[in-house]
Amino acid sequence: MAETKETRAAAQDGVPANFIRQAIDADIAAGKVPGSVVTRFPPEPNGCLHIGHAKSICLNFGIARDYPGAACYLRFDDTNPTKERIDFMEEIRGDVRWLGFDWGERLRHASDYFESLFGYAVRLIESGHAYVCSLDPGQIRAYRGTLTEPGLDSPYRSRPSGESLDLFMRMRDGEFEEGAHVLRAKIDMASPNMNLRDPVIYRIMHTPHPLTGDVWHVYPMYDFAQALSDTIEGVTHSLCTLEFEDHRPLYEWFLEVLDVPSPPRQIEFGRLNLTHTVMSKRYLTRLVDGGYVDGWDDPRMPTIAGMRRRGFTPGALRDFCERVGVTKNESAVEFERLEICVRTALDPVAPRAMAVLRPLKLVIENYPEDAVEIFEAPNHPADPSLGVREVPFSRELFIERDDFMEDPPRKFFRVAPGREVRLRYACLVTCTGVVRDPRTGTVVEIRGRYDPGSRGGKAPDGRKVRGAVHWVCARRGVRATVRLYDRLFRDPAPDHDVERLAQQLDPDSLEVLESAVIEPALALAGPGARFQFERLGYFVADSRDHAPGAPVFNRTVTLRDTWGKVRKRGADG
Ligand code: ATP
Ligand code: MG
């Protein structure tokens, strides 16, 4: 989605302007908003929320935050008991709160309104605007017609309202099989808008509801329930995604025939989509149920729970939603743009630390066998208020395997035979040789000598040493598991075919390193603590599996956009 100049400029001022806010402003100016602005966020509790929902949350709760006296309801759209669960409601409440929004007293469920909604349906029947139809589901479909042909009136369309009313009451009480009857709005079977061809507004379901149990045997359909739940709550602006544009005439029809005072106004906006992932809960459910990911909060998932576990911050998600803005456009936003927001959020606050992901031992031959020395390192290069930490150093250290090359090109400013390099915060070391595995010939250890005059990392004579690498003391360092995450789907635009989803997953999207080594201070971090591992990226202590003594860190994001580079290389080559 293109970031327009307006959205960016406004976001920087802390006042995100968008076409919806402009529409609300115009309604207020025209005197069409009797009290204060009221919005709602209406998730269906059939899965966890994803970043698309975050956009809707930021929009709706953001309006409630910014308009005087305004409010936003968190309303669970729990009208389909076969798919909805209490535990998803709990997760969703946690996600909204984590994102930084508060519904106050305004937590509702569509099921809170079942009695009122039923009353509205009765009024529709009594006023001749709805009838009980006894065609079977296949017949209803066949009578509906197509986009090019009008539908046919149901033979039950002229059923007397007294008879419909009697049947509807008995449907409610559970007298009939599922599918035996439905309640339909009586609108226009020839309408070019298929949604107006006598849509079903109530169906029979005998599945117990997670909150109302077996009280109800009929459940309202989405459009009817939305329009009237909005009405009951006094919603002034009902904001939804573009696929509901064609449903707006139906939404307005309900409000009109029921003669609702101050009817809410529906406005549609473009869905947020991200590259390298799928968004809809239908697909995400498939990934979870098929065991392709480690649950809804797998750090590769585009869910709020997954991003939280990955170490993304709520501020980064809000910033991202603000930057992509609210438009009528639906193209996918590059995942890289989300990562930029995450880096921007973490850079000023994440304490620095050293960790070695793929260790290679470095033995400093001229350093005493038993000594352990403590060096001080700043927790943040730009923020002295974050203090310093103590980093132990000894004769045996680990460096990153990638930071050593036996036969390097000239500009390799890291560890190589005969070259001098800085061990961050500690000293200057010159590599003097290697030790090989006698069978395979691979380098298993490197040897070096340090300059005792360079303690703290400065050359005594001011000579220039360009390379600087991170390291961890082999004696005091702690073994850790580190998980590296990459894009869930290699293709930026995965095929939205449920059957082909699993085959499109990137098999390398998770790499688990079991023998990483971290600074001892890191092993004491609590779950959820975020750090920058110097030269490597941002990492978070896993909220489920990390324990002091058995550390598990997830890579949140690399320091630079490696994906952008890969793409560029692909384009150049
Ligand atoms: P999904 O396809 O993921 O199930 P949904 O729209 O069915 O999405 P709901 O729980 O019904 O999910 O959505 C709650 C609210 O979030 C709705 O108002 C919906 O319009 C909004 N929403 C859902 N997906 C997105 C998205 N990708 N971008 C912006 N808003 C979204
Ligand atoms: Mg849905």
Side-chain angles (χ1 to χ4, degrees), residues 40-49 53 57 61 73-80 84-97 103 106-114 117 209-211 220 222 225-226 229-230 233 281:
R40 88 287 178 267
F41 171 64
E44 182 179 1
N46 61 349
C48 289
L49 300 181
H53 293 113
I57 292 168
F61 281 95
Y73 284 85
L74 171 59
R75 180 208 309 149
F76 290 107
D77 172 26
D78 55 348
T79 51
N80 181 359
E84 295 151 7
R85 300 197 332 225
I86 295 275
D87 57 332
F88 286 137
M89 295 189 192
E90 283 159 17
E91 296 284 345
I92 291 170
R93 287 200 300 271
D95 288 347
V96 175
R97 231 181 266 122
W103 52 85
R106 296 182 186 79
L107 178 68
R108 299 290 188 278
H109 309 79
S111 59
D112 299 339
Y113 310 138
F114 279 173
L117 297 176
H209 186 280
L211 292 176
Y222 179 87
Q226 282 292 319
S229 300
D230 287 348
E233 288 165 3
K281 276 177 283 181

Side-chain angles (χ1 to χ4, degrees), residues 183-198:
L183 183 69
R184 298 177 71 173
K186 193 188 283 185
I187 310 180
D188 179 5
M189 288 306 292
S191 171
N193 183 339
M194 301 288 281
N195 295 305
L196 297 181
R197 294 188 187 174
D198 291 12

Side-chain angles (χ1 to χ4, degrees), residues 123 136 149 188 203 244 258 319 353:
R123 276 175 55 192
D136 66 40
E149 288 165 54
D188 179 5
R203 58 184 161 167
F244 293 105
L258 286 164
D319 180 32

Side-chain angles (χ1 to χ4, degrees), residues 223-375:
D223 292 299
F224 178 77
Q226 282 292 319
L228 292 152
S229 300
D230 287 348
T231 298
I232 292 166
E233 288 165 3
V235 166
T236 57
H237 294 85
S238 179
L239 313 178
C240 61
T241 35
L242 277 183
E243 71 273 21
F244 293 105
E245 197 162 18
D246 288 348
H247 295 237
R248 193 185 337 130
L250 177 57
Y251 183 96
E252 289 172 350
W253 184 87
F254 289 126
L255 304 178
E256 196 185 307
V257 298
L258 286 164
D259 195 19
V260 163
S262 43
R265 172 176 176 195
Q266 173 177 311
I267 307 178
E268 308 85 17
F269 62 94
R271 270 179 180 263
L272 170 64
N273 294 304
L274 267 188
T275 56
H276 298 283
T277 194
V278 290
M279 201 66 94
S280 175
K281 276 177 283 181
R282 194 158 79 91
Y283 303 106
L284 300 178
T285 302
R286 183 66 167 235
L287 295 178
V288 172
D289 291 351
Y292 300 109
V293 292
D294 179 23
W296 285 95
D297 66 350
D298 185 300
R300 292 165 295 177
M301 290 280 272
T303 52
I304 296 179
M307 292 183 176
R308 174 167 61 224
R309 194 170 165 203
R310 173 109 171 222
F312 289 13
T313 67
L317 262 56
R318 289 195 305 265
D319 180 32
F320 174 70
C321 291
E322 232 162 70
R323 281 165 190 259
V324 299
V326 180
T327 67
K328 290 263 185 195
N329 185 330
E330 277 208 353
S331 64
V333 178
E334 289 178 340
F335 200 94
E336 290 76 8
R337 290 186 53 195
L338 174 56
E339 292 185 321
I340 290 171
C341 294
V342 173
R343 289 190 196 100
T344 306
L346 289 175
D347 180 46
V349 295
R352 273 41 175 180
M354 290 196 287
V356 173
L357 301 187
R358 297 173 183 88
L360 176 61
K361 189 172 273 184
L362 163 63
V363 178
I364 302 179
E365 293 171 327
N366 59 337
Y367 196 85
E369 287 274 355
D370 302 322
V372 173
E373 194 168 340
I374 304 293
F375 289 106

Side-chain angles (χ1 to χ4, degrees), residues 484-525:
L484 305 182
Y485 296 102
D486 205 337
R487 308 285 186 258
L488 190 51
F489 293 85
R490 191 163 283 269
D491 193 321
D495 188 352
H496 278 61
D497 173 348
V498 173
E499 299 311 320
R500 281 197 4 90
L501 264 195
Q503 303 157 36
Q504 301 180 75
L505 293 174
D506 183 348
D508 301 325
S509 59
L510 168 63
E511 185 181 0
V512 182
L513 304 174
E514 298 286 0
S515 51
V517 191
I518 59 178
E519 274 184 39
L522 276 179
L524 303 175

